[in-house]
Amino acid sequence: MKTKLITLLFVFAVINTFGQAPAVLKPTNTNNKALPPSEMVTNKAISALKKVPLDEASILIYDYDGALFSYDLESEQIGWTVKATDSHTEMCANKVTISNGVVYVPFINGEIYAVDNQSGDVFWKSRLGTIKDQIVLKDQVPVVSNGKLYITAQNQDGSSNLYALDTKDGSLAWTYKLDTPNNDIPVLLFNNKVFAPSASNLYSFDANTGKVLNQKNFEEGMHSKPVTDGENVFIANEKNVLFALTPDKLDVLWQFKLDENQYNIKERIFSKDKKLYFAAQGETVSSIYAVDSKTGTQIWKRNFNDDNVEYITEDSDNIWGYTKKGKLFQLDIANGEIAFEIKLTTQPISNIEFPVDDTIFYYCDAGLIKFDLNTKDEDLYYMRTSLKDNVYSAYLKIIR
C-alpha cells in the first residue's frame, strides 16, 4: 500500500511540475479493418511494378486543370496523359515524384497513381477514402523510399491522416490519424524516420512500422516544410520563429526569429552545405535569409520591398525565385547579392526547372514558358488549348 501511495504521489508531482500529464501516443493502424470507410485505402494493381529507363527528352507537366502529361522537348508533342478517375477533379494542387523511372502522382480527390515515365502506362491505382467520402490531397509531394510512399491527406470531417503505401501495388502499409486538422505540409524522411507537422505538433515515426517515436508540442502552429542538413531537423511555425531540433528526441537546439511583421515560410525553405535558406513574407517587406544550420546565426538577408517572394529554389550555387508581382530573380548563394532581376510579362504559377542551356522553364496560365537568360525572351513553348479562371498552381519536372 505504501509503495502504491508513493507511486501516486510521484505521478501527481510530475503533473503538477510540468502542468500536464505526458502525452499518450496512439497506436498505428496497419490495415484497413481498423479504419472507418472514409479513411480506408483501396488499390488496384494493373501490372507489375518495374524499373523504367528515363525519357530524358521530355518534361512532365502537371497542368492546373488536374491532368499530368509528358511533353517531348524535341518534337514539341505530348507523349501521354493521365487524369484522375473523377471527371470533375480539375486542379493540380500537388507535385509528382520520380523513382526508378516510375512517376508517383497524387490527385486532389485522394487518388494516387504509379505511372511509367516513358509510356504513361499505369502500374497501379490507389484511392484514399471513397468517391462518396473523398479525402483531399493538397500541396503534397509523395516521399518515396525503401518500398514505401508517404503522404498526408485531409478528411472531410477536418481531420487528417499520414499514410504509408507499398510502392509495389499501392496497398496500405500503415497509417496514423493525426490529432489536429487541416494538415497540408509535406513530410520529411530522414534517418529512417518520417517527420510530420500537424498544427502545433511535430511527430516522428518509424518509417517501416509507423510507430510514433516522438511528439513535440509548440505554442504556435507549425506551418513550414521540415528540412534537414543531414544532422538535424528544421521547421518554422506559422508566425515568425524557425526551430532547430535533434532528430532523435526533437529537443530544441536553437531558435531564429524573423524580422517584425514577417511570417509564412511554408515550403520556401531548403538546406545546402550546412546552411539554411528560406523566404518569409511580410506586410511591407519580404526577405530571403541565409542562416548557419549549426548555430542559427544569420549570414545574410535580402529584402524585397512592397512585394512578396512566392517561390525559391537552388541551382548551381544560385538562388532562383519569383515574387507575387512577377519579378524573376537570381541571387548569389554566398552573399545574397542580386545577379539577375527582371519583371516578367507572364506570371509564374509553378516551380522553375533548369535545362542544360541558358534557359529556364516555368508555367503560367497560358502554358509552358521557356525563358532565355541571354535575350530575356519569354517564349510560349507549349500553349494550352483552353484557359480557366481559378488557376491555383502547376508543377514541372524535367525527366533526368
Side-chain angles (χ1 to χ4, degrees):
M1 180 67 184
K2 183 177 181 180
T3 303
K4 291 182 179 179
L5 180 60
I6 292 173
T7 303
L8 284 171
L9 288 173
F10 175 76
V11 170
F12 285 126
V14 169
I15 294 174
N16 185 58
T17 301
F18 294 98
Q20 58 182 8
V24 179
L25 302 179
K26 298 178 297 184
T28 303
N29 296 319
T30 56
N31 58 69
N32 277 322
K33 293 180 180 178
L35 294 172
S38 60
E39 298 173 18
M40 286 185 178
V41 176
T42 55
N43 65 298
K44 180 181 180 182
I46 299 170
S47 62
L49 191 81
K50 62 181 180 180
K51 186 175 181 178
V52 183
L54 297 177
D55 180 8
E56 296 185 343
S58 296
I59 183 172
L60 295 176
I61 299 177
Y62 199 173
D63 209 342
Y64 58 75
D65 64 359
L68 173 70
F69 62 93
S70 174
Y71 187 75
D72 192 299
L73 295 172
E74 296 175 356
S75 66
E76 301 184 22
Q77 298 291 323
I78 294 176
W80 52 261
T81 302
V82 293
K83 297 182 179 180
T85 301
D86 301 341
S87 59
H88 65 275
T89 306
E90 296 183 349
M91 183 182 288
C92 162
N94 296 288
K95 301 175 177 63
V96 305
T97 297
I98 302 179
S99 179
N100 291 324
V102 179
V103 182
Y104 297 92
V105 50
F107 295 98
I108 194 170
N109 68 337
E111 290 185 303
I112 303 172
Y113 291 4
V115 181
D116 185 318
N117 87 94
Q118 290 209 16
S119 65
D121 294 336
V122 178
F123 293 112
W124 53 257
K125 299 180 179 181
S126 288
R127 179 185 281 276
L128 313 181
T130 66
I131 294 178
K132 179 182 178 181
D133 300 311
Q134 281 197 0
I135 282 179
V136 175
L137 293 172
K138 184 172 175 288
D139 295 330
Q140 293 296 304
V141 51
V143 176
V144 177
S145 180
N146 294 327
K148 290 185 176 62
L149 179 153
Y150 306 94
I151 200 164
T152 303
Q154 298 181 50
N155 307 322
Q156 279 194 343
D157 63 3
S159 62
S160 57
N161 285 56
L162 171 62
Y163 288 92
L165 305 183
D166 192 321
T167 55
K168 289 187 302 183
D169 56 11
S171 60
L172 176 66
W174 57 263
T175 185
Y176 185 88
K177 192 174 185 66
L178 298 166
D179 291 330
T180 48
N182 302 325
N183 187 15
D184 55 1
I185 303 295
V187 302
L188 167 69
L189 181 67
F190 173 55
N191 275 0
N192 204 37
K193 300 180 182 69
V194 179
F195 298 87
S198 179
S200 60
N201 297 300
L202 177 66
Y203 294 87
S204 66
F205 301 87
D206 183 287
N208 296 321
T209 65
K211 178 184 177 181
V212 180
L213 302 176
N214 281 287
Q215 177 184 347
K216 177 75 173 179
N217 181 261
F218 298 84
E219 292 181 1
E220 305 288 346
M222 307 310 289
H223 207 244
S224 84
K225 179 178 68 175
V227 298
T228 181
D229 64 350
E231 292 185 25
N232 297 308
V233 175
F234 308 89
I235 188 169
N237 65 18
E238 61 188 358
K239 290 192 174 179
N240 59 352
V241 181
L242 174 71
F243 296 89
L245 307 169
T246 61
D248 292 329
K249 295 184 178 180
L250 301 183
D251 293 331
V252 176
L253 297 171
W254 52 257
Q255 301 177 32
F256 180 89
K257 191 171 183 179
L258 305 174
D259 285 354
E260 189 177 357
N261 296 323
Q262 289 191 337
Y263 48 86
N264 201 29
I265 292 175
K266 292 196 73 174
E267 295 186 40
R268 292 175 284 271
I269 181 171
F270 66 87
S271 175
K272 183 176 182 180
D273 298 332
K274 304 302 178 183
K275 298 178 182 65
L276 295 169
Y277 303 91
F278 50 92
Q281 297 186 337
E283 297 175 4
T284 57
V285 179
S286 179
S287 301
I288 297 178
Y289 295 82
V291 170
D292 186 294
S293 67
K294 285 278 191 182
T295 64
T297 304
Q298 181 176 303
I299 301 170
W300 57 258
K301 182 181 68 170
R302 168 60 56 183
N303 289 336
F304 293 79
N305 295 321
D306 301 317
D307 199 1
N308 272 321
V309 175
E310 290 284 288
Y311 169 83
I312 61 169
T313 190
E314 185 273 337
D315 181 72
S316 303
D317 289 330
N318 289 285
I319 297 176
W320 288 86
Y322 57 82
T323 68
K324 188 174 184 179
K325 294 181 179 179
K327 181 184 292 183
L328 176 71
F329 60 84
Q330 174 192 2
L331 305 183
D332 187 321
I333 201 169
N335 53 30
E337 294 296 323
I338 296 177
F340 177 88
E341 191 175 49
I342 189 173
K343 178 67 169 66
L344 299 167
T345 61
T346 51
Q347 176 64 50
I349 59 169
S350 74
N351 58 309
I352 297 173
E353 283 287 84
F354 302 87
V356 293
D357 54 4
D358 291 332
T359 59
I360 63 172
F361 285 115
Y362 64 85
Y363 215 64
C364 71
D365 61 353
L368 180 65
I369 299 294
K370 184 177 182 180
F371 183 84
D372 191 305
L373 297 172
N374 296 317
T375 65
K376 314 298 187 297
D377 290 333
E378 299 170 44
D379 178 22
L380 186 55
Y381 205 69
Y382 161 75
M383 181 183 291
R384 297 189 82 253
T385 55
S386 61
L387 301 179
K388 58 185 294 189
D389 295 329
N390 55 335
V391 175
Y392 175 71
S393 68
Y395 183 71
L396 305 176
K397 194 168 188 68
I398 294 177
I399 299 176
R400 55 164 67 114

